[in-house]
Amino acid sequence: MKHEHKTVLRLQQILTIAELAVARLISFFYAKNEPIWLIADRGYDSGDNGYRFFLYMKKHHPEIRTYFILSKQAPEWRHLAEYGDSLLDFRSMKHYVYLWLASHLISSHVQGYAPYRGLGLKMKALHPAYRKKMHIFIQHGVSKDYTPYLEYNYTHQDLTLCSVRPEYTFFIERYGYPKERVELTGMCRYDHLVDQSQDRRQILLAPTWREYIYKNHGFEQTDYYKTYASLLQSERLQAILEKYDWRLVFHPHHQIQRYLRAFLSLPVCNRIHIAAETEFDLSDHFCQSNIMITDYSSVSFDFAYMQKPVLYYQFDRAQFQSEHYEPGWLDYDHSLGTVCKTEQQLLYELEQLILNGLQVQSAYRDYALALYPYHDQENCERNYQAIIRHDKMRIKTIKKQK
């Protein structure tokens, strides 16, 4: 089955290369007398930093021709209908033509504007016309773990924008990025983070994914599923929700959404909602929830940005750090919230948070305050200014080389 999937993917990429070649020829018939900025998250979805930066650009810098890449099949497409011709259907011929026309390529994922990440990286390495464009990585979340695919020798990004101080240092010292290609600006989606949780009494349970889950023949046999199924069905959790009149929203990572049906079949109480990613903008959950429970996800940084309490549920840390992401700069035990290893400990800490009026412990609050260099709604503006600044530097360098 895996072999057949790889064969189909290879054939799709061969067809895409042919389409890109045709698009390259078509692009010669377009005028190229002004900058074009192409922005994306992953192409097949939105709602992340690319989406937020696109909205900012359309509102504050309409003088720049800005386009957003998104599949017409994505639920978010209809919400962006007002932008009409500024939307490019992902993996369409128009997308490919503008990929050649663009001067700036911006995404929250490495090569998120390309039809396939691997293909985009090969094009950047081998094709001069694609390489000379400004490739900008505005990130999907705070990079706190070590992932080999973020090494500079792999991405060759022209500009990478960071949100917190240790992350900025990590990109330079661990990933090997030239200092002049990294800036500390804050994350675009943070501009949207305004606390709306007053009197809502809502817990957001938002765990990340695991690479090793796919090695199992059945998702329901994994420790991941069994652990969260146990928690969602816990009589003690239900008692806490009932006693204090709270509700819980379970919103697992995008890569786990394919298995959501397994969770939807669970007999959970009516105070628990299992959320499909098509239902809500995750940022809205951040704003509307009072407490976050996560495991290793960088969404904890979004929550801490609003100075709200975080609990980490890390029942499989050793396996996660050996088979998924290697440890990076973040020491979870001394960071944004209490680390819990068992369901019993997690539910104890949860109830204590509720009883203590949701007070963030001083150690966690101080850590968060020291972490962020900015705490405002100007993150998109700083991202924009960083791009403009580096664009000018890049033009000067090119002129000197001539």
Side-chain angles (χ1 to χ4, degrees):
M1 197 71 177
K2 286 184 179 179
H3 177 72
E4 290 177 5
H5 176 73
K6 286 182 179 179
T7 301
V8 170
L9 184 61
R10 194 174 295 116
L11 290 172
Q12 288 174 338
Q13 292 197 8
I14 291 171
L15 176 60
T16 299
I17 291 170
E19 291 174 334
L20 283 166
V22 172
R24 173 75 171 144
L25 293 174
I26 294 173
S27 71
F28 288 121
F29 294 92
Y30 285 73
K32 299 180 182 177
N33 53 5
E34 59 181 327
I36 293 176
W37 291 24
L38 245 61
I39 304 175
D41 282 318
R42 283 178 289 209
Y44 54 80
D45 65 1
S46 72
D48 208 329
N49 292 308
Y51 166 74
R52 293 294 169 190
F53 190 57
F54 170 72
L55 296 183
Y56 161 85
M57 290 297 297
K58 298 305 285 186
K59 182 177 181 180
H60 296 281
H61 296 284
E63 74 281 4
I64 296 177
R65 290 179 64 188
T66 306
Y67 297 85
F68 189 67
I69 302 165
L70 180 65
S71 170
K72 278 186 177 180
Q73 306 306 314
E76 302 93 335
W77 180 274
R78 66 180 183 274
H79 299 309
L80 293 169
E82 64 181 283
Y83 296 103
D85 292 341
S86 294
L87 296 183
L88 303 177
D89 186 18
F90 182 51
R91 294 177 182 160
S92 67
M93 183 55 69
K94 189 175 180 181
H95 167 198
Y96 297 161
V97 170
Y98 275 83
L99 198 60
W100 292 115
L101 292 172
S103 55
H104 297 65
L105 299 174
I106 305 163
S107 64
S108 58
H109 291 72
V110 173
Q111 293 290 326
Y113 35 75
Y116 300 94
R117 183 178 70 188
L119 181 57
L121 290 169
K122 287 179 182 176
M123 288 170 62
K124 192 172 192 315
L126 301 173
H127 202 294
Y130 190 73
R131 184 167 58 246
K132 75 176 185 180
K133 301 174 186 300
M134 191 172 180
H135 294 254
I136 302 145
F137 181 34
I138 59 176
Q139 297 212 62
H140 159 61
V142 174
S143 297
K144 74 248 181 327
D145 306 298
Y146 173 74
T147 52
Y149 73 84
L150 286 182
E151 290 276 358
Y152 180 72
N153 288 336
Y154 179 73
T155 70
H156 293 285
Q157 294 295 131
D158 296 304
L159 178 61
T160 294
L161 302 177
C162 298
S163 302
V164 297
R165 293 182 176 91
E167 176 191 35
Y168 169 81
T169 304
F170 197 67
F171 267 91
I172 296 168
E173 296 182 355
R174 182 73 185 271
Y175 286 137
Y177 283 64
K179 191 173 182 179
E180 64 274 13
R181 297 200 174 193
V182 186
E183 282 221 26
L184 188 55
T185 57
M187 200 173 293
C188 291
R189 69 174 186 244
Y190 287 177
D191 287 352
H192 181 67
L193 294 180
V194 178
D195 186 19
Q196 302 167 14
S197 64
Q198 293 80 3
D199 302 320
R200 292 187 70 92
R201 294 195 293 273
Q202 178 171 294
I203 302 159
L204 176 60
L205 174 58
T208 191
W209 65 301
R210 313 286 195 276
E211 181 74 42
Y212 46 86
I213 282 176
Y214 307 132
K215 297 176 184 178
N216 292 277
H217 295 295
F219 175 70
E220 294 179 34
Q221 304 306 312
T222 63
D223 289 340
Y224 183 97
Y225 173 76
K226 291 176 181 178
T227 298
Y228 285 107
S230 173
L231 177 60
L232 292 169
Q233 297 176 94
S234 164
E235 291 182 2
R236 187 177 174 201
L237 173 60
Q238 182 176 342
I240 291 171
L241 298 177
E242 292 284 353
K243 182 177 180 180
Y244 302 104
D245 192 23
W246 279 62
R247 67 190 298 267
L248 181 144
V249 176
F250 178 54
H251 190 130
H253 189 274
H254 167 77
Q255 295 286 2
I256 300 296
Q257 289 281 323
R258 69 184 78 177
Y259 303 115
L260 202 64
R261 187 175 298 177
F263 291 109
L264 288 168
S265 66
L266 296 172
V268 300
C269 74
N270 59 10
R271 290 180 175 273
I272 294 176
H273 179 70
I274 297 171
E277 63 183 353
T278 54
E279 289 181 61
F280 304 98
D281 184 327
L282 187 55
S283 291
D284 290 337
H285 279 325
F286 298 155
C287 297
Q288 295 167 6
S289 299
N290 307 81
I291 300 171
M292 172 180 281
I293 301 172
T294 187
D295 46 9
Y296 314 96
S297 176
S298 67
V299 296
S300 59
F301 289 87
D302 295 66
F303 219 69
Y305 190 79
M306 292 182 283
Q307 300 177 23
K308 296 198 285 189
V310 173
L311 292 174
Y312 291 108
Y313 186 21
Q314 298 183 348
F315 57 90
D316 62 347
R317 187 195 289 186
Q319 185 179 15
F320 183 88
Q321 293 185 333
S322 62
E323 297 184 41
H324 188 74
Y325 290 148
E326 293 179 34
W329 56 265
L330 182 67
D331 178 0
Y332 289 101
D333 295 316
H334 303 90
S335 60
L336 300 172
T338 302
V339 175
C340 305
K341 300 293 180 66
T342 66
E343 182 178 300
Q344 181 180 7
Q345 183 189 5
L346 174 66
L347 294 177
Y348 171 79
E349 294 294 345
L350 174 62
E351 187 167 19
Q352 290 304 303
L353 262 179
I354 294 171
L355 289 171
N356 292 328
L358 309 180
Q359 290 296 313
V360 178
Q361 291 183 33
S362 59
Y364 305 141
R365 185 183 62 249
D366 293 347
Y367 183 87
L369 289 173
L371 202 58
Y372 304 99
Y374 310 104
H375 204 283
D376 54 29
Q377 268 67 51
E378 300 294 329
N379 297 285
C380 283
E381 174 65 18
R382 279 189 293 273
N383 276 248
Y384 169 75
Q385 292 296 342
I387 293 169
I388 294 298
R389 187 162 52 250
H390 280 254
D391 202 19
K392 290 177 180 177
M393 291 168 53
R394 197 162 167 265
I395 290 170
K396 285 182 181 179
T397 301
I398 291 171
K399 285 181 178 178
K400 284 181 181 180
Q401 290 174 347
K402 289 181 179 180

